[in-house]
Amino acid sequence: MVIENLLLLWLAALPLMGSPGPATISLAASGSAFGIRPSLGYLGGIIIGTTAVLLLVATGIATALLAHPIAGQVLTGIAAIYILYLAWKIATAPTRLAHATASKSPETTPEAKAPDFRGGVMLAIANPKAFAAIGAVYAAHAIAPHSLWLDNALKIAALALVIVLVNSLWLVFGAGFARLLSDPRMGRLINILFAVLLVASLAMALLSLS
């Protein structure tokens, strides 16, 4: 029964938590604009921050926090400001071909860096989609209903694994997508497209809260 409940939890969590949102789209955008290795710190921040959200949901702190109108507005405002900044950073980032060319001439290397660990943590914790998706999955499923502490422990472990998996896949997807493009103009268009998708994901997250 525990195995069956665990599989049902994963079946619900993977599409919901892995669907496009501010964090996942930003990871794909960072992978496309900067590559996998420069974006690993940002990925780590997203994973740590989203796991923190999971723990807030599991302990019930998230419910109390979001029930306070000012706290919810502050989190949303922080996420919106950072996502808009990140979208601008992605849209204006040098293309991967420009990075490769500039590496041969250090004096012309573009001053552009992938988002860092702190930015990932901040976005994940302030991401309204993370609270909504994790909260929905966590509340709707029980793995070991006969034992409250075991049920919570298994759900936290299972959803933490989903957090690592889906966010890593989005980063790899973005980086792999960029490698298919050798034309600098197409690379620029892809960067802009990801930036637009990032802003759109923010708009959808905000609309879901209204």
Side-chain angles (χ1 to χ4, degrees):
M1 181 65 70
V2 170
I3 299 299
E4 292 178 2
N5 290 338
L6 181 60
L7 291 176
L8 289 174
L9 175 71
W10 277 333
L11 286 175
L14 283 170
L16 188 59
M17 295 170 60
S19 61
T24 51
I25 292 295
S26 70
L27 280 166
S30 183
S32 175
F34 303 104
I36 292 179
R37 183 174 295 179
S39 302
L40 288 178
Y42 184 63
L43 171 64
I46 291 288
I47 290 173
I48 294 298
T50 309
T51 303
V53 171
L54 169 60
L55 294 176
L56 290 175
V57 169
T59 57
I61 296 176
T63 302
L65 181 65
L66 295 178
H68 195 287
I70 296 179
Q73 290 172 7
V74 168
L75 283 175
T76 301
I78 291 173
I81 292 170
Y82 184 74
I83 288 170
L84 292 175
Y85 161 74
L86 191 58
W88 172 82
K89 184 169 182 157
I90 295 296
T92 58
T95 63
R96 297 285 288 278
L97 183 60
H99 277 297
T101 302
S103 64
K104 301 177 182 179
S105 304
E107 68 276 6
T108 62
T109 302
E111 293 294 328
K113 295 182 179 179
D116 60 11
F117 177 85
R118 289 174 298 178
V121 172
M122 181 177 68
L123 174 58
I125 292 178
N127 179 13
K129 178 182 179 288
F131 284 93
I134 293 174
V137 174
Y138 200 93
H141 291 81
I143 298 178
H146 57 279
S147 173
L148 182 60
W149 73 267
L150 180 60
D151 184 59
N152 286 325
L154 290 175
K155 284 196 289 188
I156 290 172
L159 293 179
L161 180 61
V162 173
I163 289 169
V164 174
L165 178 63
V166 297
N167 286 295
S168 299
L169 287 177
W170 272 97
L171 176 60
V172 171
F173 166 75
F177 193 79
R179 288 195 183 98
L180 300 176
L181 304 172
S182 58
D183 186 343
R185 291 173 297 180
M186 287 299 296
R188 170 64 60 208
L189 287 176
I190 291 301
N191 284 358
I192 294 173
L193 175 61
F194 272 121
V196 171
L197 290 174
L198 186 53
V199 174
S201 72
L202 169 64
M204 291 178 63
L206 294 178
L207 285 174
S208 68
L209 296 177
S210 60

